[in-house]
Amino acid sequence: MAELDLATYCQDLVADVQATADAEETTTPEAFTQRVLFDLEKAGVVSNTFTAFHKAHGHEIHGYGIGESGESLDLFFTDFHLAPLETKLTKAQTETASKRLLTFARRCQDGLQQHIDESFDVYDMCAAIEKALTEVQKIRLFVLSNRLGTSTELPPTHFDGLPVVHEVWDLARLHRHETSGTLSEPIDVPFTPPLPCVSAPSSEGDHSVVLAVVPGETLAQLYAEHGTRLLELNVRSFLQARGAVNRGIRETLLHAPGRFLAYNNGITATASRVEFVTGPDGEPTHISRVHGLQIVNGGQTTASLHYARSRDKADLSQVRVQMKLTEVSPERLTEIVPKISEYSNTQNRVTQVDFSSNHAYHVAVQRITRSLWAPAADGSGQEIHWFYERARGQYTDELAKARTPARQRQFKKINPTKKKFTKADLAKYVHSWNQLPHLVSRAAQKNFVEFMLRIDEAPPRVDIQYCQRVIAMAILFKAVDSIAASHGAGSHKSLVTAYTTARLSLATDQRIDLDRVWREQGISPFLRDAIDDLCPRIMETVATPLEGNHVGEWAKKAACWDAVSRVPWTVPAALSAELRDSPLDEATLAGGAEATEAAAEELLAVPPDEWYAIEQWAKETHNLEPWQRQLAESVGRRLESDQEVPDAQALQALHARSEALRLGFTPDP
């Protein structure tokens, strides 16, 4: 990708968006919006984003988001063209787009929701924006375009006293960051006055280390401005910052701020370049500016400082945090930073996870699917590939290699765009089958992070049968999606699809014959009829929040899955007759008997009292999902009674225990 010039990148971008729109049966602006928001969320620029289109006289919007800490409201305007290089995005057009976004926000305040059908996603968007405007501290307006912008910087404005900032993501900016391997701008931090430091001598030419003490206010402000972008070089630190403020950190900040330096381990950071104030001997004495700052260990500390200040109004004036800052040459970042992160926190029990497209799991899935021929299901005798796009743009790259029109037609015939699926799609299919629809509903990137945590804890044996069954899950998911559309699921279709698939998996005890689905490249008439009967029941529960009034937020909660799992429905006799005798559970998919035996042995090594303690601890601290707490109690009871724990529950329980240990649970010795 680094070698692509702007014109080639532009061409590939349009082709990829068109292929995605075709595969997902949506519009190109919608596909472009989803692609950019996925990348921005992955980079930590935005979070909790939703796509929804509404246009009327004076206003237009393509989506919105609420910042991770709830402090900012993000509004998105999309400008997508099939021939983007023929015209440019002018300053006047950018200003007009921003005005149309603010007009929509104003109309939300004035009761626009009352004039929108409740079944439309715009209804939820209006409610969310109206509520957010009373709670957030700033508004960010994003203009997303695949054209070149003549002016990408607009001055800040105000909306009813709220500061408004503008973000223009045009073709040049998207190209620059995708080809450089990162979407976010390097974080440059000036220290005024300069920060005293101690330089440690080093014989290595590719890095140097300094030690410093940073004011807590400074770190809190940095997180307020940049959020998880500060942590993007280290996924574990990103995960550390996801939850609530650590209880011990919070107590210290509120009641003994002067002791924070003594109690806390501090942070480990890296930079591409550091500017120093030097002493008479030429040695660094103060840090005046840091370029490309990244916190690779201590993400929870940094986020907790911010949340304690913003939520608890903690006074951080007496708080100091120790910092080890390593200056690393840019060409060695990807090599050295993971080691710094890993070795600086080896006492932490959090599992190390590689979320890159080069993870062995994704490489294996790609390797097998590239040579895996799907049976011809249409009677034509033409076998095809399900094209797994391990890395962005692989499909269009392969298509470009077929230089002649005839060869390109042949490539598309063997690799149909409707059979293309990405890492995020794979996570969605597997999590829906594994009855985790609330995770699927938390947007592609967050669901993918959770998926990789599970992959790391129970690595699947990725062989031909595994890939066939994953593709069968994709076929099932797409069939449910089509049926949900026929029932008028509308803007809630993706949520209804995930929940219907999960409820079907639960009702059948994961005994749907995925091998048959693979062989037939489709679902049976009896299965289709069952889904057709189940789908409206699920749709009603998902679209009727028991908590809050926002369907999208409700669907993210375990409570929603709890409600859906209790929807009365019995598997029809006709479908029951074609189910497998035993379930295709997560253990079966994750390495067969080997993984099952390993999970069983690990589970038996944990005494029943510890499972009860996890359940009690989780209740008292409000950690873990409700279903995980119930599972811990259930496993403890089964073990105490010498009852067998189902394989799927064993894996889920071990994951819950691992999560509890990460969040601070300490077993009795």
Side-chain angles (χ1 to χ4, degrees), residues 622-642:
H622 303 290
N623 280 313
L624 302 183
E625 300 286 1
W627 65 270
Q628 289 177 310
R629 299 199 290 265
Q630 293 168 352
L631 180 61
E633 190 272 337
S634 173
V635 167
R637 195 163 16 88
R638 281 178 173 272
L639 292 177
E640 195 170 40
S641 306
D642 290 325

Side-chain angles (χ1 to χ4, degrees), residues 51-52 118-124 488-495:
T51 57
E118 288 187 21
S119 65
F120 293 164
D121 52 359
V122 178
Y123 180 89
D124 289 336
S491 59
H492 302 143
K493 181 164 68 74
S494 62
L495 309 177

Side-chain angles (χ1 to χ4, degrees), residues 54-97:
H54 196 258
K55 182 178 181 180
H57 180 69
H59 77 246
E60 182 174 351
I61 189 169
H62 292 256
Y64 74 101
I66 307 294
E68 192 75 53
S69 61
E71 295 182 355
S72 69
L73 169 65
D74 301 332
L75 305 178
F76 305 105
F77 182 99
T78 293
D79 170 71
F80 180 80
H81 292 253
L82 293 177
L85 295 180
E86 294 180 1
T87 58
K88 291 189 176 181
L89 176 68
T90 65
K91 182 179 181 181
Q93 290 171 330
T94 303
E95 290 174 338
T96 298

Side-chain angles (χ1 to χ4, degrees), residues 497-557:
T497 299
Y499 272 92
T500 302
T501 304
R503 184 65 179 85
L504 182 68
S505 172
L506 176 66
T508 60
D509 194 26
Q510 294 186 316
R511 291 188 295 125
I512 292 172
D513 192 345
L514 293 181
D515 296 331
R516 176 183 174 181
V517 174
W518 161 259
R519 289 193 304 271
E520 298 179 357
Q521 289 293 289
I523 62 174
S524 71
F526 292 139
L527 179 52
R528 185 174 297 277
D529 290 343
I531 296 169
D532 191 55
D533 178 57
L534 174 62
C535 187
R537 307 166 192 250
I538 304 306
M539 188 162 66
E540 182 180 358
T541 304
V542 171
T544 310
L546 298 180
E547 300 178 12
N549 61 354
H550 191 297
V551 175
E553 290 298 327
W554 161 241
K556 294 178 181 179
K557 298 180 179 180

